[in-house]
Amino acid sequence: MSQIEIDAEMISELLKKNGEFATESADGLGGFSSSFDGGLASGEISIITRLAIEAAQLAADASQALGVVAGAALDGQLVDESEVAEALDNFTRSEFGE
């Protein structure tokens, strides 16, 4: 069976950097205005800008959420690796008859 190893410190550092970046992005998005003076196109420009800001905010939120989920998965993985190995062995035996 393959051996899976996780460097918890490295993964935690990556998750921390990702969370910081997402937070900085979300904070930066709060400073944008969605109203512009573009003459006849003002309404369209405002809608497009607002939608772009909302999409970027959604991406930042999703990134933060994925970081939380990955952190929880990492914590769970490191709690008891023997349980994971046993579950994988049981699956292999039941599915592949080994």
Side-chain angles (χ1 to χ4, degrees):
M1 184 173 144
S2 297
Q3 186 70 17
I4 299 171
E5 292 185 28
I6 295 176
D7 182 348
E9 187 174 318
M10 181 185 75
I11 300 292
S12 294
E13 188 62 31
L14 286 173
L15 292 174
K16 180 180 173 188
K17 286 181 183 178
N18 181 67
E20 290 171 353
F21 178 73
T23 299
E24 289 172 9
S25 297
D27 291 346
L29 290 168
F32 281 97
S33 172
S34 62
S35 61
F36 295 92
D37 184 11
L40 295 175
S42 289
E44 287 78 11
I45 292 172
S46 293
I47 291 170
I48 292 168
T49 303
R50 183 175 43 96
L51 291 174
I53 291 171
E54 287 175 4
Q57 181 65 54
L58 182 61
D61 292 345
S63 182
Q64 287 177 321
L66 286 173
V68 170
V69 170
L74 178 63
D75 292 343
Q77 165 67 25
L78 297 175
V79 169
D80 192 357
E81 290 182 8
S82 64
E83 270 186 44
V84 174
E86 183 180 341
L88 290 173
D89 287 341
N90 290 339
F91 174 76
T92 302
R93 281 192 293 277
S94 67
E95 295 298 320
F96 303 106
E98 294 180 13

